[in-house]
Amino acid sequence: MVSKRVLLLGGHGKVSLLLTPHLVARSWHVTSVIRDPSHENDILSTVTDPAGKIDVLVSSLEDVKSKTDAQRIIDRSKPDFVVWSAGMLDLLSACFHTISQRLESTNTDVGGVNPGAGGKGDPSRTQVVDRDSCIFFIRAAADTPSVTKFLLVSYLGSRRSKPPWWSDEEWKGSQEVNQGVLKSYYPSKLASDECLTAVASQRKDLQAMVVRPGRLLDEKGIGNVSLGKTKARGSVSREDVAATAAELLDSDARGWIDLLEGHEPISQAVRRVVKGKVDCVEGEDIANMIRQYI
Protein backbone atom coordinates (compact mmCIF):
# COMPACT_ATOMS: atom_id res chain seq x y z
CA MET A 1 0.00 0.00 0.00
CA VAL A 2 1.32 3.45 -0.94
CA SER A 3 1.87 5.69 2.10
CA LYS A 4 -0.35 8.75 2.22
CA ARG A 5 1.25 12.16 2.52
CA VAL A 6 -0.27 14.63 4.99
CA LEU A 7 0.35 18.38 5.15
CA LEU A 8 -0.24 19.48 8.76
CA LEU A 9 -0.67 23.25 8.99
CA GLY A 10 -0.04 24.65 12.45
CA GLY A 11 2.22 21.78 13.42
CA HIS A 12 3.30 23.16 16.80
CA GLY A 13 -0.19 23.69 18.15
CA LYS A 14 -1.27 21.56 21.08
CA VAL A 15 -3.73 19.49 19.07
CA SER A 16 -1.25 19.09 16.21
CA LEU A 17 1.50 17.82 18.50
CA LEU A 18 -0.91 15.16 19.75
CA LEU A 19 -2.20 14.39 16.26
CA THR A 20 1.22 13.89 14.65
CA PRO A 21 2.03 10.49 16.22
CA HIS A 22 -1.44 9.18 15.26
CA LEU A 23 -0.76 10.04 11.64
CA VAL A 24 2.76 8.62 11.56
CA ALA A 25 1.55 5.41 13.26
CA ARG A 26 -0.65 4.84 10.18
CA SER A 27 2.53 4.70 8.07
CA TRP A 28 1.76 8.11 6.63
CA HIS A 29 4.33 10.72 5.63
CA VAL A 30 3.65 13.94 7.56
CA THR A 31 4.98 17.37 6.66
CA SER A 32 4.48 19.56 9.72
CA VAL A 33 4.47 23.31 9.02
CA ILE A 34 5.76 25.50 11.84
CA ARG A 35 6.67 29.18 12.15
CA ASP A 36 9.57 28.96 14.60
CA PRO A 37 12.59 26.77 13.66
CA SER A 38 13.37 26.28 17.36
CA HIS A 39 10.21 24.13 17.59
CA GLU A 40 11.50 21.49 15.18
CA ASN A 41 12.71 19.16 17.92
CA ASP A 42 9.32 19.40 19.63
CA ILE A 43 7.74 18.04 16.45
CA LEU A 44 10.26 15.28 15.87
CA SER A 45 10.17 14.12 19.49
CA THR A 46 6.43 13.35 19.29
CA VAL A 47 7.15 10.34 17.08
CA THR A 48 8.62 7.11 18.38
CA ASP A 49 6.83 4.80 15.93
CA PRO A 50 9.01 4.25 12.85
CA ALA A 51 6.02 3.19 10.73
CA GLY A 52 5.74 6.50 8.92
CA LYS A 53 7.89 9.53 8.27
CA ILE A 54 7.89 13.14 9.41
CA ASP A 55 9.38 16.26 7.88
CA VAL A 56 9.34 19.77 9.31
CA LEU A 57 8.78 22.75 7.05
CA VAL A 58 9.48 26.18 8.53
CA SER A 59 7.07 28.67 7.02
CA SER A 60 4.85 31.25 8.70
CA LEU A 61 1.17 31.04 7.80
CA GLU A 62 0.97 34.79 8.36
CA ASP A 63 3.15 35.19 5.27
CA VAL A 64 0.65 33.34 3.07
CA LYS A 65 -0.92 36.31 1.27
CA SER A 66 -2.38 34.57 -1.77
CA LYS A 67 -3.51 31.24 -3.15
CA THR A 68 -0.21 31.17 -5.03
CA ASP A 69 1.70 31.29 -1.72
CA ALA A 70 -0.37 28.40 -0.39
CA GLN A 71 0.08 26.49 -3.64
CA ARG A 72 3.87 26.70 -3.30
CA ILE A 73 3.71 24.92 0.05
CA ILE A 74 1.31 22.30 -1.31
CA ASP A 75 3.50 21.72 -4.37
CA ARG A 76 6.56 21.34 -2.17
CA SER A 77 4.98 18.81 0.22
CA LYS A 78 2.84 16.98 -2.36
CA PRO A 79 0.11 15.93 0.10
CA ASP A 80 -2.80 13.58 -0.40
CA PHE A 81 -4.47 15.04 2.70
CA VAL A 82 -4.34 18.55 4.17
CA VAL A 83 -5.05 19.24 7.86
CA TRP A 84 -5.61 22.76 9.16
CA SER A 85 -5.06 22.93 12.93
CA ALA A 86 -3.62 26.42 13.15
CA GLY A 87 -4.56 29.86 14.38
CA MET A 88 -6.38 30.81 17.56
CA LEU A 89 -7.69 27.43 18.79
CA ASP A 90 -6.08 27.87 22.19
CA LEU A 91 -7.43 31.40 22.42
CA LEU A 92 -10.94 30.13 21.75
CA SER A 93 -10.51 27.49 24.44
CA ALA A 94 -9.43 30.11 26.96
CA CYS A 95 -12.55 32.12 26.13
CA PHE A 96 -14.81 29.10 26.56
CA HIS A 97 -13.18 28.30 29.90
CA THR A 98 -13.85 31.82 31.18
CA ILE A 99 -17.43 31.68 29.94
CA SER A 100 -18.11 28.28 31.50
CA GLN A 101 -16.75 29.38 34.87
CA ARG A 102 -18.94 32.50 34.82
CA LEU A 103 -22.04 30.55 33.83
CA GLU A 104 -21.48 28.02 36.59
CA SER A 105 -21.21 30.72 39.27
CA THR A 106 -23.71 33.35 38.08
CA ASN A 107 -26.43 34.04 35.58
CA THR A 108 -24.47 36.91 34.05
CA ASP A 109 -24.99 37.66 30.36
CA VAL A 110 -22.12 35.87 28.62
CA GLY A 111 -21.83 38.70 26.10
CA GLY A 112 -20.03 40.79 28.72
CA VAL A 113 -17.48 38.21 29.80
CA ASN A 114 -13.84 39.15 29.39
CA PRO A 115 -11.83 36.58 27.42
CA GLY A 116 -9.27 35.87 30.15
CA ALA A 117 -6.06 34.69 28.56
CA GLY A 118 -7.69 35.35 25.21
CA GLY A 119 -7.35 39.09 25.82
CA LYS A 120 -3.77 38.93 24.59
CA GLY A 121 -4.94 37.82 21.14
CA ASP A 122 -4.77 40.16 18.15
CA PRO A 123 -8.01 40.25 16.13
CA SER A 124 -6.11 41.23 12.98
CA ARG A 125 -3.98 38.11 13.27
CA THR A 126 -6.98 35.81 13.37
CA GLN A 127 -8.23 37.45 10.17
CA VAL A 128 -4.87 36.95 8.52
CA VAL A 129 -4.41 33.35 9.67
CA ASP A 130 -7.76 31.78 10.60
CA ARG A 131 -9.60 33.37 7.68
CA ASP A 132 -7.33 34.52 4.85
CA SER A 133 -4.49 32.02 5.04
CA CYS A 134 -6.87 29.14 5.70
CA ILE A 135 -9.04 30.07 2.73
CA PHE A 136 -5.98 30.37 0.48
CA PHE A 137 -5.03 26.80 1.44
CA ILE A 138 -8.59 25.56 0.90
CA ARG A 139 -8.65 27.02 -2.61
CA ALA A 140 -5.16 25.79 -3.45
CA ALA A 141 -5.96 22.30 -2.19
CA ALA A 142 -9.19 22.22 -4.18
CA ASP A 143 -7.24 23.14 -7.32
CA THR A 144 -4.77 20.31 -6.70
CA PRO A 145 -6.29 17.04 -7.98
CA SER A 146 -3.94 14.88 -5.91
CA VAL A 147 -5.35 16.37 -2.67
CA THR A 148 -8.35 14.20 -1.83
CA LYS A 149 -9.07 15.16 1.80
CA PHE A 150 -9.08 18.42 3.75
CA LEU A 151 -9.70 18.35 7.51
CA LEU A 152 -10.25 21.67 9.25
CA VAL A 153 -10.30 22.01 13.05
CA SER A 154 -12.85 24.67 13.98
CA TYR A 155 -15.08 25.04 17.07
CA LEU A 156 -18.55 23.97 18.12
CA GLY A 157 -20.27 27.35 17.96
CA SER A 158 -19.13 28.29 14.47
CA ARG A 159 -22.43 28.52 12.61
CA ARG A 160 -25.03 31.07 11.43
CA SER A 161 -28.28 29.24 12.09
CA LYS A 162 -29.81 27.34 14.99
CA PRO A 163 -29.33 23.61 14.46
CA PRO A 164 -32.57 21.64 14.85
CA TRP A 165 -31.15 19.53 17.70
CA TRP A 166 -30.28 22.54 19.93
CA SER A 167 -32.78 24.16 22.24
CA ASP A 168 -33.63 27.86 21.96
CA GLU A 169 -31.69 28.43 25.18
CA GLU A 170 -28.60 26.68 23.82
CA TRP A 171 -28.76 28.73 20.63
CA LYS A 172 -29.14 31.98 22.53
CA GLY A 173 -26.12 31.18 24.66
CA SER A 174 -24.02 30.31 21.63
CA GLN A 175 -25.01 33.53 19.88
CA GLU A 176 -24.17 35.61 22.95
CA VAL A 177 -20.70 34.10 22.99
CA ASN A 178 -20.13 34.61 19.26
CA GLN A 179 -21.38 38.20 19.30
CA GLY A 180 -19.75 39.01 22.63
CA VAL A 181 -16.42 37.59 23.75
CA LEU A 182 -15.68 35.99 20.36
CA LYS A 183 -16.95 38.77 18.13
CA SER A 184 -13.49 39.35 16.65
CA TYR A 185 -12.85 35.65 15.98
CA TYR A 186 -16.19 34.06 15.13
CA PRO A 187 -16.48 35.61 11.64
CA SER A 188 -13.02 34.37 10.62
CA LYS A 189 -13.61 30.81 11.77
CA LEU A 190 -17.04 30.72 10.18
CA ALA A 191 -15.71 32.06 6.88
CA SER A 192 -13.20 29.22 6.62
CA ASP A 193 -15.79 26.57 7.53
CA GLU A 194 -18.20 27.92 4.93
CA CYS A 195 -15.55 28.28 2.23
CA LEU A 196 -14.45 24.66 2.64
CA THR A 197 -18.07 23.52 2.52
CA ALA A 198 -18.76 25.53 -0.62
CA VAL A 199 -15.60 24.42 -2.41
CA ALA A 200 -16.20 20.76 -1.57
CA SER A 201 -19.76 20.99 -2.90
CA GLN A 202 -18.27 21.80 -6.31
CA ARG A 203 -15.42 19.30 -6.24
CA LYS A 204 -17.17 16.08 -5.32
CA ASP A 205 -13.99 14.03 -4.99
CA LEU A 206 -12.62 16.35 -2.29
CA GLN A 207 -13.56 14.86 1.07
CA ALA A 208 -13.98 17.86 3.37
CA MET A 209 -14.31 17.52 7.13
CA VAL A 210 -14.81 20.33 9.65
CA VAL A 211 -14.12 18.98 13.15
CA ARG A 212 -15.83 21.18 15.73
CA PRO A 213 -14.82 20.52 19.34
CA GLY A 214 -16.14 22.25 22.42
CA ARG A 215 -13.89 23.68 25.13
CA LEU A 216 -10.45 22.10 24.88
CA LEU A 217 -8.90 20.49 27.94
CA ASP A 218 -5.31 19.48 28.63
CA GLU A 219 -6.48 16.44 30.61
CA LYS A 220 -5.63 12.92 29.50
CA GLY A 221 -7.99 11.58 26.87
CA ILE A 222 -10.61 9.05 27.92
CA GLY A 223 -11.07 7.57 24.45
CA ASN A 224 -14.85 8.11 24.52
CA VAL A 225 -16.66 10.94 22.78
CA SER A 226 -19.98 12.41 21.76
CA LEU A 227 -19.62 12.82 18.00
CA GLY A 228 -22.01 14.30 15.47
CA LYS A 229 -25.09 16.15 16.65
CA THR A 230 -24.02 17.04 20.18
CA LYS A 231 -25.35 19.45 22.77
CA ALA A 232 -24.28 23.08 22.46
CA ARG A 233 -21.87 23.34 25.38
CA GLY A 234 -19.27 21.01 26.81
CA SER A 235 -15.62 20.09 26.74
CA VAL A 236 -13.26 17.50 25.32
CA SER A 237 -9.58 16.76 25.84
CA ARG A 238 -7.09 17.72 23.19
CA GLU A 239 -5.90 14.10 23.21
CA ASP A 240 -9.36 12.92 22.22
CA VAL A 241 -9.66 15.64 19.57
CA ALA A 242 -6.40 14.46 18.03
CA ALA A 243 -7.38 10.80 18.15
CA THR A 244 -10.78 11.56 16.64
CA ALA A 245 -9.31 13.72 13.89
CA ALA A 246 -6.94 10.90 12.91
CA GLU A 247 -9.80 8.39 12.79
CA LEU A 248 -11.91 10.75 10.70
CA LEU A 249 -9.04 11.40 8.30
CA ASP A 250 -8.72 7.64 7.87
CA SER A 251 -12.44 7.24 7.14
CA ASP A 252 -15.06 8.26 4.59
CA ALA A 253 -16.52 10.98 6.82
CA ARG A 254 -17.63 14.27 5.29
CA GLY A 255 -19.13 17.52 6.49
CA TRP A 256 -19.35 19.31 9.83
CA ILE A 257 -18.75 17.03 12.80
CA ASP A 258 -19.31 18.30 16.34
CA LEU A 259 -17.24 16.80 19.14
CA LEU A 260 -17.50 16.64 22.93
CA GLU A 261 -16.45 14.25 25.65
CA GLY A 262 -18.89 11.35 25.79
CA HIS A 263 -19.44 7.64 26.29
CA GLU A 264 -18.87 6.13 22.83
CA PRO A 265 -15.44 4.77 21.86
CA ILE A 266 -13.85 6.99 19.23
CA SER A 267 -13.54 4.39 16.48
CA GLN A 268 -17.14 3.26 17.01
CA ALA A 269 -18.37 6.86 16.96
CA VAL A 270 -16.58 7.55 13.68
CA ARG A 271 -18.05 4.43 12.09
CA ARG A 272 -21.54 5.50 13.21
CA VAL A 273 -21.09 9.01 11.81
CA VAL A 274 -19.84 7.65 8.49
CA LYS A 275 -22.57 5.02 8.20
CA GLY A 276 -25.30 7.52 9.11
CA LYS A 277 -23.82 10.27 6.92
CA VAL A 278 -24.11 12.61 9.89
CA ASP A 279 -23.43 16.22 8.91
CA CYS A 280 -23.92 19.05 11.39
CA VAL A 281 -24.14 21.56 8.55
CA GLU A 282 -27.86 20.77 8.71
CA GLY A 283 -29.78 24.01 9.17
CA GLU A 284 -27.14 26.13 7.42
CA ASP A 285 -27.66 27.82 4.05
CA ILE A 286 -25.25 25.96 1.77
CA ALA A 287 -26.59 27.74 -1.32
CA ASN A 288 -25.57 31.05 0.22
CA MET A 289 -22.10 29.67 0.97
CA ILE A 290 -21.74 28.72 -2.67
CA ARG A 291 -22.86 32.16 -3.83
CA GLN A 292 -20.33 33.78 -1.51
CA TYR A 293 -17.28 31.61 -2.11
CA ILE A 294 -17.62 30.11 -5.59
Side-chain angles (χ1 to χ4, degrees):
M1 181 178 67
V2 177
S3 174
K4 296 297 184 182
R5 300 178 68 96
V6 182
L7 177 62
L8 178 56
L9 299 160
H12 195 257
K14 291 182 179 181
V15 171
S16 293
L17 289 171
L18 295 164
L19 175 59
T20 299
H22 286 286
L23 303 179
V24 174
R26 285 170 163 77
S27 299
W28 292 349
H29 182 167
V30 177
T31 298
S32 183
V33 178
I34 60 174
R35 179 178 56 180
D36 187 343
S38 69
H39 292 156
E40 181 171 356
N41 287 336
D42 295 341
I43 307 297
L44 298 177
S45 65
T46 65
V47 177
T48 58
D49 191 327
K53 183 179 178 182
I54 184 165
D55 297 325
V56 175
L57 174 60
V58 178
S59 182
S60 174
L61 298 178
E62 292 184 59
D63 293 335
V64 175
K65 304 298 186 182
S66 66
K67 191 184 83 168
T68 300
D69 291 340
Q71 191 69 58
R72 289 193 189 99
I73 293 175
I74 288 176
D75 290 345
R76 179 173 175 179
S77 56
K78 297 178 173 59
D80 301 286
F81 308 155
V82 176
V83 176
W84 178 277
S85 184
M88 307 300 253
L89 291 173
D90 292 326
L91 170 60
L92 290 169
S93 182
C95 293
F96 288 147
H97 179 62
T98 302
I99 293 162
S100 296
Q101 286 183 323
R102 182 69 62 87
L103 288 174
E104 288 171 2
S105 61
T106 72
N107 291 320
T108 302
D109 181 355
V110 294
V113 177
N114 289 324
K120 65 185 179 183
D122 180 355
S124 64
R125 182 173 181 267
T126 202
Q127 292 172 4
V128 169
V129 177
D130 290 274
R131 184 190 66 190
D132 298 346
S133 180
C134 185
I135 287 175
F136 290 141
F137 273 102
I138 290 169
R139 295 194 183 283
D143 285 347
T144 306
S146 59
V147 176
T148 58
K149 297 184 182 183
F150 196 115
L151 186 146
L152 167 61
V153 182
S154 183
Y155 79 102
L156 185 61
S158 176
R159 59 185 313 128
R160 291 185 191 275
S161 304
K162 175 184 171 296
W165 58 95
W166 282 8
S167 68
D168 290 341
E169 182 181 2
E170 285 178 306
W171 177 240
K172 179 182 178 182
S174 177
Q175 287 296 92
E176 287 174 340
V177 171
N178 286 337
Q179 301 304 329
V181 69
L182 295 183
K183 65 181 179 181
S184 298
Y185 311 104
Y186 160 68
S188 295
K189 298 301 293 183
L190 182 62
S192 294
D193 295 356
E194 291 185 337
C195 180
L196 180 58
T197 302
V199 166
S201 74
Q202 305 302 296
R203 195 192 134 183
K204 301 299 184 181
D205 63 336
L206 178 63
Q207 186 180 327
M209 294 159 275
V210 183
V211 182
R212 302 153 53 80
R215 180 166 61 95
L216 299 173
L217 304 176
D218 287 325
E219 299 171 2
K220 185 174 179 57
I222 62 174
N224 294 322
V225 295
S226 175
L227 190 67
K229 296 177 180 179
T230 71
K231 58 186 180 181
R233 194 170 70 225
S235 60
V236 62
S237 72
R238 287 179 172 85
E239 281 193 6
D240 284 338
V241 173
T244 303
E247 288 281 345
L248 288 167
L249 199 61
D250 201 12
S251 78
D252 294 326
R254 292 174 180 265
W256 293 14
I257 304 165
D258 294 355
L259 172 61
L260 294 173
E261 180 180 296
H263 302 288
E264 188 175 18
I266 290 172
S267 58
Q268 179 178 312
V270 170
R271 288 194 298 270
R272 173 182 53 77
V273 164
V274 171
K275 183 177 180 179
K277 297 182 179 180
V278 176
D279 189 348
C280 297
V281 79
E282 182 181 341
E284 299 294 299
D285 188 346
I286 297 176
N288 186 60
M289 298 180 198
I290 294 170
R291 284 192 296 270
Q292 186 169 358
Y293 292 103
I294 301 301

